[in-house]
Amino acid sequence: MNDIRIGNGYDVHALGPGLPLMLGGVRVESPVGCIAHSDGDVAIHALCDALLGALALGDIGKHFPDTSDEFKGIDSKILLQRTMSLVKGKGYGVCNVDITIAMQRPKLAPYITEMRETLARIMGTDISRVSVKFLPVPQIS
Ligand code: MG
């Protein structure tokens, strides 16, 4: 049976000064970064949730709980690797992913290609199957 699954992931983090900002596996220059138990890579977290959701395997919090010291400060690329192991273990692979990162600043255009390359490499797929988009959010004054 050809079984095609589609998943949806979403993540939001608060920002704090002086923290590294990791997005799509790439360090983004910013005076603020995500406050999180892991490295706070919201793009990878949402991607993991989409992959897990497509296979009804629960969510990222189930597999990588933020109450566990094992995942404290963990590189989210490792979480994606582990998620892909679960996906492959179920006999599935990734056809394509489409990610939108919404934020006020900085603009992410200089980082998009590296994010796509990084995520494609971890998922074992071609960059042409990995879309990362930047949605600039208006600042509310
Ligand atoms: Mg998260």
Side-chain angles (χ1 to χ4, degrees):
M1 180 180 80
N2 289 327
D3 185 12
I4 298 172
R5 303 289 188 100
I6 295 173
N8 183 50
Y10 189 89
D11 196 17
V12 178
H13 279 253
L15 298 171
L19 297 171
L21 180 61
M22 295 298 299
L23 290 170
V26 174
R27 173 76 184 264
V28 173
E29 280 301 315
S30 169
V32 295
C34 289
I35 299 168
H37 186 70
S38 68
D39 70 358
D41 191 324
V42 288
I44 287 185
H45 296 175
L47 173 55
C48 289
D49 259 354
L51 293 167
L52 293 168
L55 298 179
L57 291 174
D59 61 23
I60 192 170
K62 173 184 172 182
H63 294 275
F64 315 113
D66 64 8
T67 51
S68 167
D69 284 345
E70 181 186 357
F71 304 115
K72 188 167 175 55
I74 196 168
D75 182 339
S76 292
K77 294 190 287 295
I78 295 170
L79 303 183
L80 181 56
Q81 286 169 356
R82 294 196 188 180
T83 300
M84 283 306 301
S85 294
L86 292 167
V87 169
K88 289 174 184 170
K90 290 287 184 182
Y92 288 85
V94 169
C95 179
N96 74 290
V97 302
D98 184 18
I99 296 169
T100 302
I101 303 172
M103 59 192 297
Q104 292 178 327
R105 59 184 179 276
K107 291 181 177 170
L108 296 179
Y111 302 97
I112 295 293
T113 299
E114 187 180 353
M115 291 177 189
R116 294 175 63 214
E117 288 170 347
T118 299
L119 298 175
R121 186 175 59 248
I122 296 169
M123 292 187 291
T125 191
D126 190 80
I127 188 172
S128 65
R129 294 177 179 274
V130 180
S131 164
V132 178
K133 297 171 296 188
F134 169 57
L135 175 66
V137 175
Q139 189 147 9
I140 300 167
S141 54

Tab-separated table of all heavy atoms in Angstrom, residues 85-134:
chain	number	residue	atom	x	y	z
A	85	SER	N	14.963	8.771	12.989
A	85	SER	CA	15.115	7.341	13.296
A	85	SER	C	13.754	6.709	13.567
A	85	SER	O	13.481	5.582	13.131
A	85	SER	CB	16.023	7.144	14.516
A	85	SER	OG	17.332	7.549	14.222
A	86	LEU	N	12.896	7.451	14.276
A	86	LEU	CA	11.544	6.954	14.533
A	86	LEU	C	10.759	6.830	13.234
A	86	LEU	O	10.057	5.843	13.003
A	86	LEU	CB	10.813	7.898	15.493
A	86	LEU	CG	11.344	7.957	16.930
A	86	LEU	CD1	10.738	9.146	17.672
A	86	LEU	CD2	11.036	6.659	17.662
A	87	VAL	N	10.888	7.845	12.380
A	87	VAL	CA	10.184	7.840	11.092
A	87	VAL	C	10.634	6.647	10.244
A	87	VAL	O	9.816	5.887	9.709
A	87	VAL	CB	10.441	9.171	10.340
A	87	VAL	CG1	9.951	9.094	8.904
A	87	VAL	CG2	9.757	10.337	11.070
A	88	LYS	N	11.955	6.474	10.145
A	88	LYS	CA	12.492	5.369	9.335
A	88	LYS	C	12.135	4.016	9.956
A	88	LYS	O	11.897	3.047	9.236
A	88	LYS	CB	14.005	5.522	9.190
A	88	LYS	CG	14.386	6.688	8.290
A	88	LYS	CD	15.896	6.916	8.288
A	88	LYS	CE	16.246	8.142	7.449
A	88	LYS	NZ	17.662	8.531	7.614
A	89	GLY	N	12.104	3.980	11.293
A	89	GLY	CA	11.749	2.745	11.987
A	89	GLY	C	10.332	2.290	11.683
A	89	GLY	O	10.008	1.104	11.773
A	90	LYS	N	9.497	3.243	11.317
A	90	LYS	CA	8.113	2.921	10.939
A	90	LYS	C	7.989	2.650	9.444
A	90	LYS	O	6.889	2.430	8.933
A	90	LYS	CB	7.177	4.078	11.323
A	90	LYS	CG	6.989	4.238	12.830
A	90	LYS	CD	6.107	3.127	13.370
A	90	LYS	CE	5.816	3.325	14.852
A	90	LYS	NZ	4.993	2.218	15.401
A	91	GLY	N	9.122	2.707	8.755
A	91	GLY	CA	9.110	2.391	7.327
A	91	GLY	C	8.780	3.573	6.431
A	91	GLY	O	8.433	3.391	5.260
A	92	TYR	N	8.909	4.776	6.982
A	92	TYR	CA	8.587	5.970	6.207
A	92	TYR	C	9.836	6.801	5.920
A	92	TYR	O	10.888	6.613	6.528
A	92	TYR	CB	7.587	6.843	6.976
A	92	TYR	CG	6.199	6.274	7.023
A	92	TYR	CD1	5.843	5.350	8.007
A	92	TYR	CD2	5.239	6.655	6.094
A	92	TYR	CE1	4.567	4.816	8.056
A	92	TYR	CE2	3.961	6.132	6.138
A	92	TYR	CZ	3.637	5.212	7.119
A	92	TYR	OH	2.366	4.685	7.162
A	93	GLY	N	9.682	7.717	4.997
A	93	GLY	CA	10.718	8.692	4.704
A	93	GLY	C	10.062	10.039	4.459
A	93	GLY	O	8.839	10.162	4.489
A	94	VAL	N	10.891	11.027	4.232
A	94	VAL	CA	10.383	12.373	3.994
A	94	VAL	C	10.304	12.641	2.492
A	94	VAL	O	11.283	12.441	1.774
A	94	VAL	CB	11.292	13.422	4.660
A	94	VAL	CG1	10.930	14.826	4.205
A	94	VAL	CG2	11.199	13.311	6.175
A	95	CYS	N	9.137	13.077	2.043
A	95	CYS	CA	8.990	13.499	0.641
A	95	CYS	C	9.411	14.957	0.512
A	95	CYS	O	10.231	15.304	-0.321
A	95	CYS	CB	7.553	13.303	0.179
A	95	CYS	SG	7.294	13.829	-1.525
A	96	ASN	N	8.809	15.801	1.330
A	96	ASN	CA	9.201	17.213	1.345
A	96	ASN	C	8.772	17.849	2.652
A	96	ASN	O	7.888	17.330	3.342
A	96	ASN	CB	8.588	17.983	0.168
A	96	ASN	CG	7.115	18.243	0.373
A	96	ASN	OD1	6.314	17.305	0.323
A	96	ASN	ND2	6.746	19.493	0.608
A	97	VAL	N	9.421	18.929	2.998
A	97	VAL	CA	8.991	19.718	4.153
A	97	VAL	C	8.916	21.181	3.732
A	97	VAL	O	9.638	21.625	2.840
A	97	VAL	CB	9.917	19.566	5.379
A	97	VAL	CG1	10.008	18.121	5.815
A	97	VAL	CG2	11.298	20.117	5.099
A	98	ASP	N	8.034	21.908	4.390
A	98	ASP	CA	7.827	23.322	4.078
A	98	ASP	C	7.693	24.065	5.401
A	98	ASP	O	6.727	23.853	6.134
A	98	ASP	CB	6.570	23.468	3.220
A	98	ASP	CG	6.345	24.895	2.764
A	98	ASP	OD1	7.297	25.709	2.810
A	98	ASP	OD2	5.212	25.192	2.345
A	99	ILE	N	8.673	24.894	5.714
A	99	ILE	CA	8.741	25.560	7.019
A	99	ILE	C	8.600	27.065	6.841
A	99	ILE	O	9.233	27.647	5.949
A	99	ILE	CB	10.107	25.253	7.684
A	99	ILE	CG1	10.234	23.754	7.970
A	99	ILE	CG2	10.287	26.074	8.966
A	99	ILE	CD1	11.630	23.328	8.363
A	100	THR	N	7.795	27.684	7.688
A	100	THR	CA	7.710	29.140	7.731
A	100	THR	C	8.120	29.621	9.114
A	100	THR	O	7.568	29.160	10.110
A	100	THR	CB	6.280	29.620	7.424
A	100	THR	OG1	5.890	29.139	6.136
A	100	THR	CG2	6.210	31.144	7.445
A	101	ILE	N	9.099	30.515	9.155
A	101	ILE	CA	9.553	31.087	10.422
A	101	ILE	C	9.063	32.535	10.482
A	101	ILE	O	9.450	33.364	9.657
A	101	ILE	CB	11.087	31.052	10.543
A	101	ILE	CG1	11.595	29.610	10.396
A	101	ILE	CG2	11.521	31.658	11.883
A	101	ILE	CD1	13.106	29.498	10.311
A	102	ALA	N	8.190	32.816	11.451
A	102	ALA	CA	7.635	34.160	11.600
A	102	ALA	C	8.342	34.862	12.754
A	102	ALA	O	8.365	34.357	13.879
A	102	ALA	CB	6.134	34.065	11.879
A	103	MET	N	8.940	36.005	12.472
A	103	MET	CA	9.604	36.788	13.512
A	103	MET	C	9.794	38.216	13.028
A	103	MET	O	9.692	38.499	11.834
A	103	MET	CB	10.945	36.154	13.903
A	103	MET	CG	11.921	36.034	12.760
A	103	MET	SD	13.341	34.992	13.165
A	103	MET	CE	14.090	35.909	14.502
A	104	GLN	N	10.051	39.101	13.985
A	104	GLN	CA	10.213	40.512	13.626
A	104	GLN	C	11.590	40.788	13.044
A	104	GLN	O	11.744	41.452	12.030
A	104	GLN	CB	9.969	41.387	14.849
A	104	GLN	CG	8.513	41.370	15.307
A	104	GLN	CD	8.291	42.193	16.556
A	104	GLN	OE1	9.158	42.283	17.423
A	104	GLN	NE2	7.121	42.794	16.666
A	105	ARG	N	12.623	40.316	13.695
A	105	ARG	CA	13.983	40.553	13.253
A	105	ARG	C	14.908	39.523	13.879
A	105	ARG	O	14.540	38.977	14.940
A	105	ARG	CB	14.438	41.976	13.616
A	105	ARG	CG	14.378	42.276	15.108
A	105	ARG	CD	14.751	43.718	15.386
A	105	ARG	NE	14.674	43.990	16.813
A	105	ARG	CZ	13.556	44.309	17.463
A	105	ARG	NH1	12.423	44.397	16.793
A	105	ARG	NH2	13.562	44.517	18.762
A	106	PRO	N	16.074	39.277	13.307
A	106	PRO	CA	16.557	39.861	12.054
A	106	PRO	C	15.899	39.185	10.844
A	106	PRO	O	15.242	38.159	10.992
A	106	PRO	CB	18.052	39.538	12.112
A	106	PRO	CG	18.110	38.233	12.835
A	106	PRO	CD	17.017	38.312	13.870
A	107	LYS	N	16.117	39.764	9.675
A	107	LYS	CA	15.670	39.121	8.449
A	107	LYS	C	16.505	37.861	8.242
A	107	LYS	O	17.717	37.857	8.496
A	107	LYS	CB	15.810	40.082	7.268
A	107	LYS	CG	14.835	41.239	7.349
A	107	LYS	CD	14.961	42.181	6.173
A	107	LYS	CE	13.907	43.286	6.287
A	107	LYS	NZ	14.109	44.361	5.318
A	108	LEU	N	15.853	36.825	7.779
A	108	LEU	CA	16.525	35.526	7.710
A	108	LEU	C	17.054	35.164	6.330
A	108	LEU	O	17.657	34.101	6.172
A	108	LEU	CB	15.578	34.425	8.196
A	108	LEU	CG	15.168	34.525	9.669
A	108	LEU	CD1	14.213	33.384	10.022
A	108	LEU	CD2	16.390	34.498	10.582
A	109	ALA	N	16.860	36.019	5.351
A	109	ALA	CA	17.277	35.685	3.987
A	109	ALA	C	18.724	35.176	3.913
A	109	ALA	O	18.999	34.198	3.203
A	109	ALA	CB	17.081	36.890	3.066
A	110	PRO	N	19.687	35.789	4.632
A	110	PRO	CA	21.076	35.310	4.511
A	110	PRO	C	21.293	33.893	5.059
A	110	PRO	O	22.338	33.291	4.805
A	110	PRO	CB	21.873	36.326	5.356
A	110	PRO	CG	20.974	37.497	5.536
A	110	PRO	CD	19.579	36.962	5.512
A	111	TYR	N	20.343	33.373	5.793
A	111	TYR	CA	20.520	32.081	6.466
A	111	TYR	C	19.719	30.940	5.836
A	111	TYR	O	19.902	29.777	6.184
A	111	TYR	CB	20.101	32.205	7.932
A	111	TYR	CG	20.840	33.249	8.706
A	111	TYR	CD1	20.299	34.516	8.897
A	111	TYR	CD2	22.086	32.987	9.255
A	111	TYR	CE1	20.970	35.490	9.626
A	111	TYR	CE2	22.774	33.944	9.983
A	111	TYR	CZ	22.207	35.200	10.163
A	111	TYR	OH	22.876	36.156	10.876
A	112	ILE	N	18.803	31.292	4.947
A	112	ILE	CA	17.837	30.298	4.456
A	112	ILE	C	18.505	29.110	3.766
A	112	ILE	O	18.163	27.946	4.033
A	112	ILE	CB	16.816	30.966	3.492
A	112	ILE	CG1	15.952	31.988	4.243
A	112	ILE	CG2	15.959	29.921	2.793
A	112	ILE	CD1	15.014	31.421	5.269
A	113	THR	N	19.466	29.366	2.903
A	113	THR	CA	20.100	28.261	2.167
A	113	THR	C	20.816	27.309	3.113
A	113	THR	O	20.701	26.072	2.982
A	113	THR	CB	21.093	28.805	1.116
A	113	THR	OG1	20.362	29.616	0.191
A	113	THR	CG2	21.766	27.670	0.364
A	114	GLU	N	21.531	27.868	4.093
A	114	GLU	CA	22.235	26.997	5.045
A	114	GLU	C	21.251	26.177	5.882
A	114	GLU	O	21.498	25.011	6.199
A	114	GLU	CB	23.155	27.828	5.946
A	114	GLU	CG	24.035	26.969	6.834
A	114	GLU	CD	24.963	27.781	7.727
A	114	GLU	OE1	25.028	29.024	7.573
A	114	GLU	OE2	25.616	27.155	8.590
A	115	MET	N	20.120	26.800	6.230
A	115	MET	CA	19.091	26.043	6.963
A	115	MET	C	18.590	24.881	6.117
A	115	MET	O	18.464	23.745	6.612
A	115	MET	CB	17.912	26.952	7.322
A	115	MET	CG	18.215	28.006	8.362
A	115	MET	SD	16.739	29.052	8.627
A	115	MET	CE	17.429	30.333	9.658
A	116	ARG	N	18.291	25.157	4.858
A	116	ARG	CA	17.777	24.096	3.977
A	116	ARG	C	18.793	22.972	3.821
A	116	ARG	O	18.449	21.788	3.875
A	116	ARG	CB	17.408	24.681	2.609
A	116	ARG	CG	16.238	25.664	2.673
A	116	ARG	CD	16.003	26.312	1.306
A	116	ARG	NE	15.627	25.323	0.303
A	116	ARG	CZ	15.969	25.390	-0.991
A	116	ARG	NH1	16.678	26.403	-1.438
A	116	ARG	NH2	15.584	24.464	-1.825
A	117	GLU	N	20.064	23.351	3.628
A	117	GLU	CA	21.129	22.351	3.488
A	117	GLU	C	21.255	21.510	4.754
A	117	GLU	O	21.388	20.285	4.693
A	117	GLU	CB	22.470	23.045	3.204
A	117	GLU	CG	22.586	23.629	1.819
A	117	GLU	CD	23.829	24.515	1.664
A	117	GLU	OE1	24.460	24.862	2.686
A	117	GLU	OE2	24.137	24.860	0.513
A	118	THR	N	21.215	22.183	5.891
A	118	THR	CA	21.395	21.490	7.176
A	118	THR	C	20.252	20.503	7.418
A	118	THR	O	20.482	19.338	7.768
A	118	THR	CB	21.451	22.530	8.318
A	118	THR	OG1	22.563	23.396	8.088
A	118	THR	CG2	21.589	21.852	9.668
A	119	LEU	N	19.031	20.973	7.230
A	119	LEU	CA	17.876	20.107	7.482
A	119	LEU	C	17.824	18.954	6.481
A	119	LEU	O	17.519	17.813	6.856
A	119	LEU	CB	16.585	20.930	7.425
A	119	LEU	CG	16.488	22.052	8.475
A	119	LEU	CD1	15.237	22.883	8.243
A	119	LEU	CD2	16.515	21.482	9.885
A	120	ALA	N	18.134	19.238	5.224
A	120	ALA	CA	18.119	18.185	4.198
A	120	ALA	C	19.153	17.105	4.521
A	120	ALA	O	18.864	15.902	4.395
A	120	ALA	CB	18.402	18.792	2.824
A	121	ARG	N	20.321	17.532	4.969
A	121	ARG	CA	21.378	16.563	5.298
A	121	ARG	C	20.928	15.652	6.442
A	121	ARG	O	21.083	14.435	6.371
A	121	ARG	CB	22.657	17.314	5.670
A	121	ARG	CG	23.864	16.419	5.897
A	121	ARG	CD	25.134	17.220	6.134
A	121	ARG	NE	25.038	18.099	7.287
A	121	ARG	CZ	25.020	19.426	7.241
A	121	ARG	NH1	25.101	20.037	6.079
A	121	ARG	NH2	24.937	20.145	8.336
A	122	ILE	N	20.349	16.232	7.473
A	122	ILE	CA	19.929	15.431	8.629
A	122	ILE	C	18.818	14.458	8.233
A	122	ILE	O	18.783	13.309	8.680
A	122	ILE	CB	19.449	16.340	9.777
A	122	ILE	CG1	20.609	17.195	10.280
A	122	ILE	CG2	18.869	15.508	10.923
A	122	ILE	CD1	20.184	18.310	11.223
A	123	MET	N	17.907	14.919	7.370
A	123	MET	CA	16.773	14.069	6.989
A	123	MET	C	17.109	13.107	5.862
A	123	MET	O	16.288	12.264	5.497
A	123	MET	CB	15.571	14.947	6.591
A	123	MET	CG	14.977	15.702	7.772
A	123	MET	SD	13.447	16.562	7.361
A	123	MET	CE	14.093	17.826	6.279
A	124	GLY	N	18.320	13.252	5.297
A	124	GLY	CA	18.719	12.347	4.228
A	124	GLY	C	17.939	12.564	2.947
A	124	GLY	O	17.645	11.621	2.218
A	125	THR	N	17.619	13.827	2.697
A	125	THR	CA	16.889	14.142	1.475
A	125	THR	C	17.589	15.284	0.743
A	125	THR	O	18.577	15.835	1.219
A	125	THR	CB	15.417	14.498	1.803
A	125	THR	OG1	14.666	14.538	0.589
A	125	THR	CG2	15.295	15.829	2.515
A	126	ASP	N	17.091	15.615	-0.427
A	126	ASP	CA	17.726	16.647	-1.235
A	126	ASP	C	17.219	18.034	-0.830
A	126	ASP	O	16.061	18.180	-0.428
A	126	ASP	CB	17.416	16.393	-2.715
A	126	ASP	CG	18.250	17.277	-3.623
A	126	ASP	OD1	19.424	16.932	-3.853
A	126	ASP	OD2	17.729	18.325	-4.062
A	127	ILE	N	18.073	19.014	-0.977
A	127	ILE	CA	17.697	20.382	-0.605
A	127	ILE	C	16.472	20.861	-1.387
A	127	ILE	O	15.693	21.676	-0.889
A	127	ILE	CB	18.885	21.349	-0.799
A	127	ILE	CG1	18.550	22.723	-0.213
A	127	ILE	CG2	19.300	21.425	-2.252
A	127	ILE	CD1	19.716	23.688	-0.193
A	128	SER	N	16.278	20.315	-2.572
A	128	SER	CA	15.124	20.723	-3.381
A	128	SER	C	13.797	20.288	-2.750
A	128	SER	O	12.729	20.729	-3.172
A	128	SER	CB	15.230	20.140	-4.790
A	128	SER	OG	15.141	18.730	-4.743
A	129	ARG	N	13.870	19.427	-1.746
A	129	ARG	CA	12.668	18.962	-1.049
A	129	ARG	C	12.461	19.655	0.300
A	129	ARG	O	11.567	19.289	1.054
A	129	ARG	CB	12.738	17.445	-0.841
A	129	ARG	CG	12.688	16.670	-2.148
A	129	ARG	CD	12.836	15.185	-1.913
A	129	ARG	NE	12.762	14.444	-3.161
A	129	ARG	CZ	11.631	14.032	-3.733
A	129	ARG	NH1	10.474	14.274	-3.157
A	129	ARG	NH2	11.664	13.371	-4.874
A	130	VAL	N	13.324	20.624	0.593
A	130	VAL	CA	13.251	21.319	1.883
A	130	VAL	C	13.072	22.813	1.638
A	130	VAL	O	13.965	23.487	1.126
A	130	VAL	CB	14.513	21.068	2.725
A	130	VAL	CG1	14.410	21.804	4.055
A	130	VAL	CG2	14.714	19.576	2.958
A	131	SER	N	11.912	23.327	2.021
A	131	SER	CA	11.604	24.744	1.876
A	131	SER	C	11.647	25.402	3.249
A	131	SER	O	11.088	24.882	4.216
A	131	SER	CB	10.204	24.893	1.255
A	131	SER	OG	9.725	26.207	1.423
A	132	VAL	N	12.346	26.524	3.339
A	132	VAL	CA	12.314	27.343	4.553
A	132	VAL	C	11.992	28.771	4.126
A	132	VAL	O	12.673	29.333	3.261
A	132	VAL	CB	13.659	27.318	5.312
A	132	VAL	CG1	13.572	28.222	6.548
A	132	VAL	CG2	14.028	25.898	5.729
A	133	LYS	N	10.944	29.329	4.730
A	133	LYS	CA	10.501	30.674	4.367
A	133	LYS	C	10.514	31.566	5.600
A	133	LYS	O	10.316	31.095	6.718
A	133	LYS	CB	9.086	30.620	3.784
A	133	LYS	CG	8.998	29.806	2.494
A	133	LYS	CD	7.563	29.597	2.062
A	133	LYS	CE	6.817	28.771	3.068
A	133	LYS	NZ	5.478	28.364	2.639
A	134	PHE	N	10.731	32.845	5.342
A	134	PHE	CA	10.743	33.844	6.418
A	134	PHE	C	9.512	34.722	6.290
A	134	PHE	O	9.262	35.301	5.235
A	134	PHE	CB	12.019	34.688	6.320
A	134	PHE	CG	12.026	35.893	7.203
A	134	PHE	CD1	11.848	35.777	8.581
A	134	PHE	CD2	12.204	37.153	6.672
A	134	PHE	CE1	11.857	36.900	9.396
A	134	PHE	CE2	12.225	38.277	7.484
A	134	PHE	CZ	12.045	38.161	8.848
